[in-house]
Amino acid sequence: MNALVQAWGRAPDALRLKGRLAARSTCPCGYDLAVRDRVSVDGPMPAFWPPRPSRFWSWLLAPLNRRQLRGKFAVSSVEVEGMERLRSLPPGDGALITPNHSYAGDGVVMVEAGRSAPRPFHLMAAWQLFTGHGGLDGWLMQRQGCFSVDREGSDRRAMRTATGILAGGGFLVVFPEGENYHLNDRLTPLREGVAFMAATAQKEKGDAGRVWLVPTAIRYRFAENVAPRLEAALESLEAISPSGTSRSAALPARILAFGEALLSVKEKEILGSQFRAEPLPARLERLMRHLIERHEAVRSEDPAPVRVKRARAKLLALPEEERTEGTKRALADLHLAIQLFSYPGDYLSAAPTPERMAETLEKFEEDLTGEEAKPVARRLAQVVIGEPIDVKAALGDKRAREAAEGLTVALEGAMTRLISARPALPQAGATPGSR
């Protein structure tokens, strides 16, 4: 147990203001910001990076994107289904394309998918990604249609840019879950701001055309037997934090036992007791709610990510001279709450597929080491573009904020249906590219 305590003590927390909590760029448009809602507390966004798309630079950077897909993210191919739905949209209509977000390479996958689109894709990305390599990363990202957003505040410049692209008949990619939770088979609650963005753009567009919400799913599968690699990954973690589980047990059971051991450490530390006899989802929910409610002025039933963002915004709004060790501990609590949210207690037990086991092990690695997990094996990516949702029809005479709720429900349902259908794998020997 001492080994577990020491290992968890190395997990990311808001006391570490630099390094692991700062954004790491995966230019261009790699979206590799922060392991599950990490936050930089270095200050507000220093500038706004508008999109400056260039066909020349997009063409020139294509080999770099594909090399990054193969190398850093171990994605050997990207297959696109449903692109005809975007091709069928009238020339003046805008489209807000909304993929799920479960992997650090999702942004690069969408850049690759966009190469076969009838119009260039624009992407909204966290501002920290634009500062890498002295600003070179940002310059290159802008040339591929990316623009910055401050995820911790109400970024009016990003909103104006997004609605301008849509009202002008452009295609914009936004991840409506907001964060990457390593849950490729399950959709987490969507941020209502995405639907509000589409409705606002439709208001601007008026009778000049339509804006469409386009539900999209990115789905990953392994095309080979990865059981030996999963076994090796777990053994490496057990070397850091022995769980006491016999290696003769089935791999899914060993992974669950490892996670329960880590959870027990935090239960004892924060709640004063362990609840091993209770179902895992209930234990995770109790600890997560306790951490969030510590820092809420008024208790809420909103999804955990919304509550965390609201509480964290108040802490980050404090002037530097008013930030205390208590402020840092509060940020650490909220970060831990998001980590717990990313572990649905029934995700692995409900379907112990190689993909779900790999996602769980990758989260363990990130939480114990504070570093981005290396891919277990090569993945095949499939981007499925669903039936567009007519924002103008949903908007009617409503205000944008009123229409956003119904649009969010419709979008969430459509994305869930796309994600729940397991993909037909692309050819294992295919080269990265869209078709």
Side-chain angles (χ1 to χ4, degrees):
M1 184 62 72
N2 286 338
L4 280 169
V5 173
Q6 292 168 3
W8 193 283
R10 293 194 295 272
D13 61 53
L15 295 175
R16 301 176 176 90
L17 305 186
K18 305 286 185 179
R20 293 189 271 111
L21 288 183
R24 293 190 302 273
S25 174
T26 64
C27 174
C29 293
Y31 275 78
D32 181 22
L33 173 74
V35 177
R36 292 198 306 296
D37 216 27
R38 256 183 224 163
V39 58
S40 168
V41 294
D42 292 333
M45 183 167 69
F48 176 68
W49 287 263
R52 304 188 188 280
S54 163
R55 290 186 180 274
F56 170 76
W57 279 102
S58 181
W59 168 80
L60 191 65
L61 290 169
L64 175 62
N65 280 359
R66 290 166 182 163
R67 180 179 178 182
Q68 192 175 41
L69 276 172
R70 289 193 190 98
K72 182 178 179 63
F73 299 116
V75 175
S76 58
S77 70
V78 178
E79 182 182 77
V80 180
E81 289 188 9
M83 188 61 78
E84 68 278 0
R85 293 191 170 103
L86 294 181
R87 295 192 183 104
S88 68
L89 297 180
D93 285 6
L96 180 52
I97 300 157
T98 60
N100 57 312
H101 193 13
S102 68
Y103 188 49
D106 289 341
V108 186
V109 166
M110 289 307 299
V111 168
E112 185 61 33
R115 298 190 190 283
S116 63
R119 280 169 257 172
F121 281 2
H122 294 77
L123 289 89
M124 182 186 289
W127 69 263
Q128 291 90 342
L129 299 177
F130 291 76
T131 63
H133 298 96
L136 176 61
D137 288 0
W139 192 92
L140 293 172
M141 291 171 70
Q142 288 176 285
R143 269 66 194 171
Q144 293 201 96
C146 299
F147 61 97
S148 62
V149 63
D150 184 354
R151 301 188 312 164
E152 295 304 317
S154 179
D155 192 337
R156 295 183 179 181
R157 292 169 295 186
M159 176 63 84
R160 285 196 300 268
T161 299
T163 56
I165 289 169
L166 295 170
F171 288 175
L172 172 62
V173 176
V174 175
F175 294 99
E177 292 171 282
E179 308 295 344
N180 165 18
Y181 299 112
H182 293 279
L183 297 170
N184 191 234
D185 289 341
R186 187 172 296 182
L187 192 69
T188 57
L190 305 187
R191 305 290 175 91
E192 199 170 281
V194 175
F196 174 70
M197 185 187 302
T200 301
Q202 182 62 69
K203 285 282 189 183
E204 290 183 15
K205 199 168 185 62
D207 294 328
R210 296 178 184 272
V211 172
W212 302 84
L213 266 175
V214 185
T216 302
I218 305 175
R219 302 185 302 200
Y220 296 100
R221 292 293 178 263
F222 295 119
E224 57 185 327
N225 178 19
V226 297
R229 298 187 185 186
L230 295 174
E231 182 87 24
L234 179 57
E235 289 178 3
S236 296
L237 292 171
E238 289 175 331
I240 300 173
S241 303
S243 65
T245 305
S246 171
R247 293 192 175 184
S248 63
L251 185 57
R254 287 174 57 194
I255 294 173
L256 286 170
F258 184 86
E260 289 196 46
L262 292 176
L263 177 60
S264 296
V265 171
K266 281 301 176 185
E267 286 178 328
K268 182 68 174 176
E269 175 189 327
I270 297 169
L271 302 176
S273 299
Q274 297 176 355
F275 301 89
R276 291 179 178 271
E278 295 188 15
L280 187 56
R283 295 172 63 187
L284 290 163
E285 177 72 16
R286 176 191 291 107
L287 183 54
M288 181 182 68
R289 290 181 69 90
H290 177 83
L291 289 165
I292 296 174
E293 288 171 0
R294 278 181 174 180
H295 309 291
E296 281 185 321
V298 179
R299 292 188 181 181
S300 166
E301 295 304 317
D302 287 336
V306 175
R307 298 168 66 190
V308 166
K309 182 175 181 178
R310 189 162 51 224
R312 196 168 60 189
K314 293 181 179 179
L315 295 169
L316 295 177
L318 293 172
E320 186 66 34
E321 60 272 14
E322 294 183 21
R323 293 183 185 177
T324 64
E325 289 302 311
T327 306
K328 296 174 183 178
R329 285 193 294 272
L331 289 169
D333 281 352
L334 295 171
H335 180 74
L336 177 57
I338 285 297
Q339 287 179 307
L340 293 167
F341 175 78
S342 75
Y343 290 99
D346 62 346
Y347 186 67
L348 183 57
S349 58
T353 64
E355 291 77 22
R356 293 193 186 196
M357 286 190 283
E359 287 176 319
T360 305
L361 289 170
E362 286 168 355
K363 282 186 282 195
F364 287 158
E365 181 180 342
E366 290 176 350
D367 290 342
L368 287 174
T369 68
E371 302 296 332
E372 182 187 346
K374 294 181 179 178
V376 171
R378 293 201 171 275
R379 289 171 165 91
L380 306 175
Q382 185 180 51
V383 178
V384 183
I385 298 170
E387 194 66 40
I389 299 170
D390 187 344
V391 176
K392 188 173 184 178
L395 184 60
D397 296 328
K398 300 175 186 174
R399 296 165 58 184
R401 186 66 68 184
E402 292 178 277
E405 183 177 354
L407 284 168
T408 301
V409 171
L411 179 63
E412 194 166 285
M415 290 180 66
T416 298
R417 289 189 291 274
L418 290 176
I419 291 167
S420 63
R422 294 182 70 86
L425 291 175
Q427 292 296 319
T431 57
S434 303
R435 69 185 191 188

